[in-house]
Amino acid sequence: MPLADAIDAPPFVKASLRKLGLERRDDLVFHLPLRYDDETRISSIADAPLGEPVQIEATIVEVSVAPGPRRQLLVTLREADGDGSNAENEDPAGQPTLVLRFLTFYGSQQRALETARASGRRLRVFGEIRDGFFGREMVHPRFRVVAVGEALPPSLTPVYPTTAGLSQLALRRLIARARRDTDLGEVLDPQWCASHALPPLASALALLHAPPADVDAAALQARRHPAWRRIKFEELLAQQLSLRRAYLARRRQGAPVLAGTGELAARVRASLPFALTAAQERVIAEIAGDLAQPYPMQRLLQGDVGCGKTIVAALAACQCIEAGYQTAFMAPTEILAEQHYLKLRAWLEPLGVEVVRLSGRLRKSARLATQARAATGAPLIVGTHALIQDSLDFARLGLAIVDEQHRFGVVQRLALRRKGVNPHQLMMSATPIPRTLAMSYHADLDVSVIDDMPPGRTPVRTRLFADARRAEVVAAVRDVVAQGRQVYWVCPLIEESAALELQAALDTYAALGAELPELRVGLVHGRLKIDEKAATMAAFVAGEIDLLVATTVIEVGVDVANASLMVIEHAERFGLAQLHQLRGRVGRGAEAAVCVLLYQPPLSQTARARLKIIYEHTDGFEIARQDLHLRGPGEFVGSRQSGVPLLRYADLETDTDLVELARTLAAELLRDDPPRAERHLRRWLGHRDELLKA
Ligand code: ADP
Ligand code: MG
């Protein structure tokens, strides 16, 4: 940290500031108010509205301590008249009074108030008035003794986010000093700013820290004010610069050129019982092109549930393996990793390619064997996040594939990247995210999209049933199985407790077993051992289980074409993305499939909105868009996804235009004026940028 930028404050103050993420003077300058108090005006005791922050100035009539087990300091104020003459000399009758009530106080405060009373000075108080026992009162207002005629502040009083031990006043002073000592270099071209209705940085900050009394308070509060837009733009620009720069930096690093004759991939294709779709062919070509470059691929493969991403990944693995390098294939759940393992083995082992698997739940000896094979060059290693544990070393990692990447955090993805010298990376996701979010969170990736579905799929029909009609649903299960089809029954999600969730699954399993004695019922849940889970799933795939009762462990990726009915219990507890994923487990064959959402009335408003969306839409992209609208981007992407809290001020849903603008300008700045880009980044991110460069 350059000394010139250090905050000048005692160590204990610095410790508090650090808790707020404020390490440098620039951080203080960009620490912006949550809201404002209006101390530019004085209301009269009689006319001030109740329950709203107001400022009163009045003379002190009485200072007393109410006795009893809970001592209280009571201060009675009476409206001062215009010339400030001593109100005690006047007839008090009819003058409204205000009682200030302090439940905790210091003797020094009491004495100061008494002195002020004796000398006829006034008290300026800020707080909310309510109707109390003694008439109008304020509890613990902010107060200050003022001289008669003392000027009112010219600007609104900022209220900053703070932490215990750091008062607003202290923080305000620190920020004011930092602002005075900081030279705010303008990064943007003034004309460009003007043409986009963005004020200069210095005036935007001045306004936000100290808005003039006549400011458009509503726009300020809603963060729509041009000054706010300028700050949000600065922040978004930093984010875009940072992501873009990380992308370019990785691109400058070397990676193995993965090129071969393509024979292995051709033989896998020849063994498939289906032809690839046009979109699959297109993304395969994009990926193949990337892998043959001497710098690492950084590609996200997006495509709705069931569009066929796995085979695309498998063909990429073929190219890597043929070039003599290893592929690591990571999935977020045991069940999915197991399923990928089986599928990849079926495709590749007949061609003489060894496939090994790694999972935290494997027996130690099996785990050690896989670790040994990874270190000695097994061509394809499939697993859960056990793949990124430190104990695992790859001999020659060429390609890292991350399935359902949105389920992994940034940190985990970075860890896998570090495993190889610099492997190519293919991330896959079925959670289509709206464009602004994609620009923001995937700005450091190239994106391929599978936008068609394999032919012959019939859309899943969704039906909503109140829990009271459960018997009808059970009857439908019986019918579907009688037709030779299979059924998933997903048990309620219980976020508070894994134990309760397990218990609910066990209960449902027992109940359905009793209601449907003629069916073969299976159960999978998160607590099963890996081979138990695998055995149950294998039996379901083989058609030896008719009805599979499951917790959300089957949420992602599981693929059984003969399953044509999905029942989701307590559907109102699930998120939209989860419901979409779950529903995507059926409708994979030519048979018409149905998804039954059982819900427990009464529904909350959001639950009702969610169920309506999932009922009306099957397109994952549209569902994601509506989900974003319902939840807002922070929750939509989740902290796991974003990893670094880069955006404090901008709102990805409402500030779309600014995101686009920032993206364009970031690319231009990095190309035309890297030092300027660097300055901007340093100001905004400081130390926080490190993670992104990893
Ligand atoms: P997702 O994209 O959700 O991961 P999968 O890769 O699991 O989807 O594919 C879903 C199912 O579709 C699998 O059974 C897969 O073998 C099959 N599939 C993939 N591509 C095609 C295709 N072009 N034609 C027919 N079936 C396909
Ligand atoms: Mg998948």
Side-chain angles (χ1 to χ4, degrees):
M1 186 193 300
L3 211 58
D5 193 27
I7 297 173
D8 179 20
F12 72 95
V13 172
K14 282 193 183 175
S16 296
L17 291 175
R18 246 195 312 280
K19 275 196 210 140
L20 296 167
L22 308 175
E23 309 244 8
R24 311 161 308 153
R25 273 209 318 256
D26 276 357
D27 297 336
L28 279 173
V29 172
F30 285 95
H31 192 61
L32 295 174
L34 285 173
R35 56 182 182 80
Y36 301 90
D37 287 338
D38 188 354
E39 293 176 301
T40 65
R41 283 179 300 173
I42 288 182
S43 310
S44 77
I45 295 176
D47 301 339
L50 299 185
E52 276 174 33
V54 290
Q55 181 167 249
I56 304 289
E57 186 173 308
T59 38
I60 305 169
V61 181
E62 189 184 356
V63 178
S64 66
V65 174
R70 290 179 52 206
R71 280 160 39 96
Q72 298 187 359
L73 178 65
L74 299 176
V75 181
T76 309
L77 303 183
R78 182 172 322 119
E79 201 95 75
D81 39 332
D83 61 9
S85 64
N86 195 334
E88 266 182 321
N89 297 335
E90 294 176 10
D91 180 6
Q95 291 270 28
T97 56
L98 177 67
V99 174
L100 313 183
R101 183 188 293 277
F102 297 91
L103 307 175
T104 54
F105 59 96
Y106 298 110
S108 58
Q109 286 174 318
Q110 184 185 346
R111 281 191 299 279
L113 286 163
E114 266 157 7
T115 312
R117 186 191 66 78
S119 60
R121 297 181 73 193
R122 298 185 185 185
L123 208 56
R124 220 173 253 177
V125 297
F126 189 89
E128 290 180 14
I129 300 181
R130 62 178 200 191
D131 259 329
F133 188 70
F134 301 105
R136 303 203 134 199
E137 65 172 34
M138 273 188 189
V139 178
H140 278 272
R142 191 155 77 223
F143 68 91
R144 204 157 67 83
V145 177
V146 291
V148 172
E150 187 170 316
L152 288 164
S155 52
L156 305 186
T157 309
V159 179
Y160 295 102
T162 188
T163 178
L166 186 63
S167 72
Q168 281 295 331
L169 194 63
L171 189 53
R172 231 175 271 154
R173 289 197 176 128
L174 284 164
I175 291 174
R177 201 172 63 208
R179 287 180 54 212
R180 240 187 352 259
D181 297 348
T182 303
D183 178 22
L184 278 173
E186 180 68 66
V187 173
L188 307 182
D189 173 45
Q191 264 178 350
W192 185 90
C193 280
S195 69
H196 290 95
L198 297 171
L201 180 61
S203 58
L205 282 170
L207 185 133
L208 294 176
H209 282 294
D214 62 352
V215 73
D216 179 350
L220 200 60
Q221 200 53 49
R223 301 195 167 180
R224 277 187 281 103
H225 193 284
W228 263 121
R229 285 178 49 84
R230 174 65 207 257
I231 299 304
K232 291 172 171 189
F233 181 75
E234 293 277 302
E235 180 180 48
L236 287 165
L237 181 63
Q239 185 202 42
Q240 292 295 325
L241 282 171
S242 165
L243 290 167
R244 180 86 193 150
R245 192 185 55 170
Y247 172 86
L248 293 173
R250 287 202 297 272
R251 215 176 146 102
R252 275 193 294 277
Q253 297 168 336
V257 172
L258 304 178
T261 59
E263 195 203 324
L264 188 58
R267 289 175 65 193
V268 170
R269 277 166 175 263
S271 73
L272 295 175
F274 50 78
L276 297 173
T277 66
Q280 282 173 316
E281 292 290 4
R282 189 186 66 241
V283 302
I284 287 166
E286 285 165 359
I287 293 165
D290 280 3
L291 294 178
Q293 299 300 321
Y295 50 82
M297 169 169 79
Q298 311 174 59
R299 192 168 282 279
L300 174 69
L301 175 56
Q302 280 205 322
D304 209 347
V305 187
C307 71
K309 293 182 290 292
T310 319
I311 183 63
V312 172
L315 294 173
C318 286
Q319 184 169 340
C320 173
I321 293 162
E322 205 176 50
Y325 285 86
Q326 295 173 289
T327 299
F329 196 136
M330 184 161 87
T333 67
E334 305 275 352
I335 284 193
L336 189 51
E338 180 69 16
Q339 184 172 320
H340 283 329
Y341 168 68
L342 294 174
K343 213 173 221 177
L344 291 163
R345 235 174 53 169
W347 282 329
L348 288 167
E349 271 191 357
L351 307 177
V353 177
E354 177 191 7
V355 184
V356 297
R357 68 170 160 178
L358 188 70
S359 132
R361 310 207 84 186
L362 278 180
R363 254 193 292 282
K364 185 144 190 232
S365 57
R367 229 165 42 220
L368 288 177
T370 302
Q371 282 175 11
R373 283 302 294 127
T376 53
L380 183 52
I381 302 105
V382 185
T384 56
H385 50 267
L387 283 184
I388 49 174
Q389 271 154 21
D390 280 341
S391 50
L392 191 67
D393 283 314
F394 295 93
R396 281 159 69 78
L397 186 60
L399 170 64
I401 298 171
V402 181
D403 194 17
E404 308 291 349
Q405 65 101 27
H406 58 282
R407 301 280 302 253
F408 292 98
V410 168
V411 179
Q412 285 169 310
R413 290 192 321 239
L414 293 180
L416 183 57
R417 193 184 285 163
R418 282 197 213 95
K419 281 288 173 189
V421 192
N422 231 329
H424 296 273
Q425 303 158 54
L426 179 61
M427 265 80 81
M428 305 199 285
S429 175
T431 302
I433 72 174
R435 194 174 133 71
T436 14
L437 277 192
M439 279 199 295
S440 200
Y441 287 91
H442 301 319
D444 59 341
L445 298 174
D446 296 309
V447 180
S448 292
V449 181
I450 301 182
D451 51 8
D452 59 14
M453 278 284 170
R457 301 259 169 96
T458 39
V460 180
R461 262 199 336 159
T462 302
R463 306 194 57 191
L464 289 165
F465 280 85
D467 203 44
R469 296 173 63 190
R470 190 171 176 282
E472 289 171 52
V473 178
V474 172
V477 170
R478 187 180 288 121
D479 290 347
V480 166
V481 172
Q483 291 156 25
R485 304 271 148 204
Q486 290 163 284
V487 181
Y488 292 104
W489 188 294
V490 179
C491 296
L493 174 77
I494 302 176
E495 294 208 319
E496 304 79 43
S497 158
L500 279 181
E501 184 163 308
L502 175 59
Q503 191 52 51
L506 291 171
D507 292 348
T508 304
Y509 174 64
L512 287 172
E515 285 165 290
L516 298 162
E518 72 278 24
L519 302 198
R520 296 165 298 174
V521 185
L523 173 66
V524 278
H525 56 74
R527 295 288 180 83
L528 289 180
K529 289 226 170 42
I530 183 164
D531 2 338
E532 296 169 329
K533 246 190 262 181
T536 308
M537 286 312 293
F540 191 58
V541 171
E544 291 152 14
I545 288 176
D546 304 309
L547 170 60
L548 184 65
V549 179
T551 55
T552 49
V553 294
I554 61 148
E555 179 192 338
V556 290
V558 174
D559 180 34
V560 177
N562 192 46
S564 67
L565 174 60
M566 159 78 58
V567 181
I568 303 175
E569 242 185 296
H570 278 293
E572 76 278 2
R573 294 188 192 167
F574 291 84
L576 269 175
Q578 261 180 325
L579 289 173
H580 179 62
Q581 283 271 356
L582 283 169
R583 183 171 59 182
R585 301 301 112 219
V586 291
R588 305 204 144 203
E591 221 55 40
V594 176
C595 176
V596 171
L597 303 177
L598 268 174
Y599 65 90
Q600 181 81 61
L603 291 175
S604 73
Q605 219 165 32
T606 32
R608 181 183 302 276
R610 278 201 303 264
L611 292 180
K612 183 168 184 296
I613 292 168
I614 201 80
Y615 177 75
E616 287 175 354
H617 300 276
T618 51
D619 174 30
F621 192 88
E622 181 56 27
I623 290 170
R625 216 181 52 75
Q626 305 229 13
D627 198 16
L628 172 66
H629 189 66
L630 214 55
R631 289 196 288 164
E635 226 194 305
F636 181 89
V637 179
S639 57
R640 280 196 305 179
Q641 173 80 354
S642 50
V644 201
L646 281 180
L647 294 178
R648 277 179 295 165
Y649 302 127
D651 176 332
L652 292 175
E653 198 186 357
T654 53
D655 302 325
T656 319
D657 59 327
L658 293 179
V659 179
E660 307 231 7
L661 211 54
R663 184 177 163 87
T664 316
L665 190 66
E668 278 173 28
L669 270 183
L670 282 172
R671 193 190 56 219
D672 303 337
D673 195 350
R676 207 145 59 101
E678 206 55 40
R679 249 197 350 242
H680 184 71
L681 272 172
R682 251 204 320 278
R683 170 187 291 166
W684 267 93
L685 302 176
H687 54 282
R688 280 186 294 251
D689 195 31
E690 286 311 310
L691 233 175
L692 284 168
K693 281 188 273 180

